[in-house]
């Protein structure tokens, strides 16, 4: 008899618990705060990009590396150009911080990526147009990058200089 | 150049098989193909098309003109964000100026040496992962995405052209020159610049320093008899370093 009563109580508790869990599921889960990019629309619809961005990037990576295809769509450099924007102080967020587009979501989802062990986490515009003739807009002897040991955030002055030069390049 | 023009140039080149074309060739009655003799230039290929072997990019170094100013080295390393970590033994070198001295006469010369972009690259033969690779247009590269850092290729290269990255470089890379710890790298013949219609950084820097007449470096298509590099080679010849290895290098030297 006692056993059955205990069983009843346990069952009731389980029922209550599952009720609570389902009720909890209806509440809004916390979402990452994803920084807004430059453009209006990404190269594919947002739900597609959310699910498949890495398939696009991976395929493009191999095409670029082995076949020399350098179209802009799906290029990682272009992702960064659009998605990593400076804050009010003109500083670019670095990969790892929640303000950086890629890490804002990857931190949230606990998905570790290693793109930025090799690739630049800042847009091309952050590097400016080099002074040397041979460097064009690809970085190079830009004072920020070569005289500073650690590439910290860019100052507002640097940025003004850089964007003025960049405009003339287009 | 707009992409459309590029496509035209590219088609012209494909149709002509890379050879000089006479203006206004009749290919069928009533059909006149208007073409001009034109050497292949970097950037002729539209960027949405894979590279093919209709070109082979090469470099010609004139050791008689090289004065050892090392402008090419600085340009290369600045363009690719290659910096010293204060340990010269392991610092990456994509290009170096080598000094030669004849012990008998005391005659000295210097010349830049970089990856020789071999047609039969030993570094590609030994790579266990396929990371060390040759592009269809002759440029030898490391696909760092699949390089495991075993350094077999460094041992196989007769020119000591490759370097290993020992230090973490996080946050210091340039957008067009991804580099990272644990991978091997070497001269890429400025592959992204060439694809985008520019000359390699070293070539541009040398010409900027010494002028058109005095420049020691020429870049171009070895398969195109009209290119500056082919014309020079035809006139004055060119040597390969360690030609005995029969690697058919894409980098040739004069005056050695
Ligand atoms: S020079 Fe060395 S690194 Fe370059 S292709 Fe030849 S073997 Fe490979
Ligand atoms: S170090 Fe990298 S590129 Fe060189 S042989 Fe090993 S895997 Fe291949």
């Amino acid at each position: 008899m006692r056993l059955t009563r205990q069983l009843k109580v346990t069952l009731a508790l389980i029922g209550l618990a599952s009720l609570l869990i389902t009720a909890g599921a209806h509440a809004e889960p916390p979402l990452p705060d994803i920084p807004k990019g430059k453009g209006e629309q990404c190269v594919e619809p947002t739900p597609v990009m959310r699910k498949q961005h890495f398939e696009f990037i991976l395929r493009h990576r191999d095409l670029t590396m082995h076949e020399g295809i350098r179209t802009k769509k799906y290029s990682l450099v272009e992702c960064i150009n659009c998605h990593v924007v400076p804050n009010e102080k003109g500083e670019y967020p670095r990969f790892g911080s929640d303000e950086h587009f890629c890490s804002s979501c990857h931190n949230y989802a606990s998905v570790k990526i290693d793109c930025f062990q090799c690739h630049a986490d800042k847009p091309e515009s952050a590097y400016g147009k080099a002074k040397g003739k041979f460097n064009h807009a690809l970085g190079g002897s830009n004072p920020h990058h070569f005289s500073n040991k650690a590439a910290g955030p860019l100052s507002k002055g640097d940025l003004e200089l850089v964007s003025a030069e960049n405009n003339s390049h287009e | 150049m707009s992409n459309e023009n590029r496509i035209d140039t590219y088609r012209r080149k494909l149709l002509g098989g890379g050879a000089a074309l006479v203006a206004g060739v009749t290919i069928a009655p009533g059909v006149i193909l208007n073409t001009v003799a034109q050497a292949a230039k970097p950037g002729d290929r539209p960027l949405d098309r894979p590279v093919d072997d209709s070109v082979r990019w090469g470099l010609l170094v004139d050791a008689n003109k090289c004065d050892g100013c090392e402008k090419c080295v600085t340009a290369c390393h600045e363009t690719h964000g290659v910096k010293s970590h204060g340990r010269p033994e392991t610092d990456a070198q994509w290009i170096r100026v080598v000094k030669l001295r004849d012990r008998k006469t005391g005659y000295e010369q210097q010349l830049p040496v970089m990856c020789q972009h071999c047609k039969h690259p030993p570094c590609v033969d030994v790579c266990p992962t396929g990371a060390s690779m040759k592009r269809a247009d002759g440029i030898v590269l490391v696909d760092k995405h699949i390089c495991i850092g075993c350094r077999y290729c460094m041992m196989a290269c007769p020119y000591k052209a490759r370097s290993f990255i020992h230090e973490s470089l996080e946050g210091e890379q340039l957008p067009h020159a991804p580099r990272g710890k644990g991978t091997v790298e070497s001269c890429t013949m400025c592959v992204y610049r060439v694809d985008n219609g520019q000359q390699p950084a070293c070539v541009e820097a040398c010409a900027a320093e010494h002028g058109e007449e005095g420049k020691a470096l020429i870049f171009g298509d070895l398969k195109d008899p009209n290119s500056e590099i082919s014309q020079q080679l035809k006139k004055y010849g060119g040597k390969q370093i360690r030609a005995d290895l029969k690697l058919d290098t894409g980098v040739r030297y004069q005056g050695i």
Side-chain angles (χ1 to χ4, degrees):
Chain A
M1 274 300 117
R2 238 180 112 188
L3 203 75
T4 351
R5 201 182 303 141
Q6 251 180 7
L7 205 68
K8 266 185 197 158
V9 172
T10 324
L11 279 178
L13 274 175
I14 289 171
L16 198 70
S18 55
L19 209 72
L20 277 173
I21 288 165
T22 19
H26 288 296
E28 281 295 306
L31 287 174
D33 193 4
I34 298 170
K36 205 175 151 19
K38 261 195 209 157
E40 281 306 306
Q41 175 59 50
C42 198
V43 294
E44 297 289 347
T46 307
V48 178
M49 283 314 277
R50 250 180 218 155
K51 248 181 135 171
Q52 282 175 291
H53 62 284
F54 209 69
E55 286 165 37
F56 299 135
I57 296 174
L58 196 64
R59 178 168 155 72
H60 195 78
R61 169 196 105 174
D62 290 341
L63 290 177
T64 304
M65 202 53 239
H66 295 261
E67 297 189 1
I69 289 172
R70 289 184 194 273
T71 45
K72 290 189 160 183
K73 199 178 179 185
Y74 309 136
S75 144
L76 182 62
V77 172
E78 297 300 329
C79 302
I80 298 296
N81 279 349
C82 243
H83 279 293
V84 180
V85 280
N87 64 16
E88 328 74 60
K89 279 190 254 155
E91 290 159 350
Y92 285 90
R94 306 310 301 256
F95 177 74
S97 90
D98 282 342
E99 277 101 66
H100 190 277
F101 177 78
C102 307
S103 34
S104 67
C105 200
H106 279 280
N107 286 353
Y108 171 82
S110 284
V111 176
K112 209 173 157 193
I113 56 169
D114 61 1
C115 308
F116 301 102
Q117 284 176 14
C118 283
H119 285 277
D121 59 356
K122 288 184 295 188
E124 285 170 287
S125 56
Y127 296 85
K129 206 169 150 189
K131 287 199 191 107
K133 248 191 113 193
F134 40 83
N135 276 313
H136 307 286
L138 303 169
S141 61
N142 173 16
H144 159 71
H145 213 83
F146 288 99
S147 53
N148 289 16
K149 262 229 126 112
L154 288 166
S155 76
K156 193 159 179 259
D158 279 345
L159 265 177
E160 270 163 10
L161 196 80
V162 153
S163 51
E165 279 176 340
N166 259 347
N167 292 342
S168 63
H169 179 66
E170 294 307 313
Chain B
M1 208 198 278
S2 76
N3 212 36
E4 228 169 84
N5 284 342
R6 274 192 188 178
I7 292 173
D8 279 352
T9 326
Y10 189 71
R11 281 195 195 124
R12 226 173 270 152
K13 193 167 156 42
L14 276 186
L15 285 168
L21 290 174
V22 193
V25 188
T26 316
I27 49 168
V31 181
I32 308 281
L33 186 66
N34 264 319
T35 43
V36 275
Q38 199 176 24
K41 294 183 306 305
D44 278 353
R45 175 180 61 94
L47 293 180
D48 57 353
R49 266 187 225 209
V51 278
D52 55 46
D53 57 4
S54 64
V55 294
R56 184 183 177 204
W57 297 121
L59 276 172
L60 179 61
V61 182
D62 189 341
N64 291 324
K65 290 184 178 166
C66 172
D67 66 354
C69 72
E70 303 216 350
K71 284 280 187 310
C72 53
V73 179
T74 319
C76 170
H77 288 170
E78 286 192 353
T79 303
H80 300 104
V82 178
K83 285 184 276 188
S84 167
H85 290 271
R87 292 192 292 141
E89 297 85 1
T90 58
D91 281 343
Q93 292 181 337
W94 288 27
I95 172 174
R96 58 176 83 92
V97 171
V98 173
K99 226 186 211 157
L100 302 174
R101 187 167 181 276
D102 186 331
R103 278 205 209 109
K104 274 191 194 141
T105 60
Y107 175 61
E108 270 186 15
Q109 350 175 238
Q110 46 267 310
L111 55 154
V113 178
M114 66 294 278
C115 167
Q116 304 288 297
H117 296 277
C118 314
K119 188 174 182 192
H120 310 293
C123 61
V124 173
D125 291 344
V126 300
C127 180
T129 66
S132 187
M133 52 167 260
K134 184 164 65 95
R135 242 172 53 148
D137 58 2
I139 300 182
V140 177
L141 298 169
V142 178
D143 182 348
K144 297 181 188 185
H145 304 104
I146 47 179
C147 169
I148 53 169
C150 67
R151 289 166 265 183
Y152 284 3
C153 56
M154 287 177 71
M155 301 303 290
C157 172
Y159 307 98
K160 276 202 172 189
R162 291 204 159 166
S163 306
F164 181 75
I165 307 180
H166 293 262
E167 290 82 6
S168 165
L169 304 175
E170 224 153 303
E172 293 187 37
Q173 294 88 351
L174 300 171
H176 290 273
R179 307 174 59 229
K181 183 179 176 178
T183 60
V184 162
E185 59 182 9
S186 54
C187 157
T188 62
M189 232 185 233
C190 281
V191 67
Y192 62 90
R193 292 171 56 96
V194 172
D195 286 349
N196 283 307
Q198 296 169 349
Q199 299 267 317
C202 56
V203 176
E204 219 174 286
C206 186
E209 177 71 10
H210 302 288
E212 272 303 306
E213 286 300 305
K215 68 178 182 194
L217 290 167
I218 297 172
F219 169 81
D221 180 7
L222 293 169
K223 281 194 178 168
D224 182 343
N226 289 313
S227 64
E228 190 187 356
I229 189 169
S230 300
Q231 295 278 332
Q232 276 284 326
L233 282 168
K234 191 177 171 199
K235 248 197 222 156
Y236 304 112
K239 281 187 193 157
Q240 304 178 42
I241 304 181
R242 291 297 310 270
D244 58 315
L245 296 172
K246 297 199 168 61
L247 302 177
D248 189 355
T249 58
V251 181
R252 303 289 167 102
Y253 290 83
Q254 287 173 343
I256 56 167

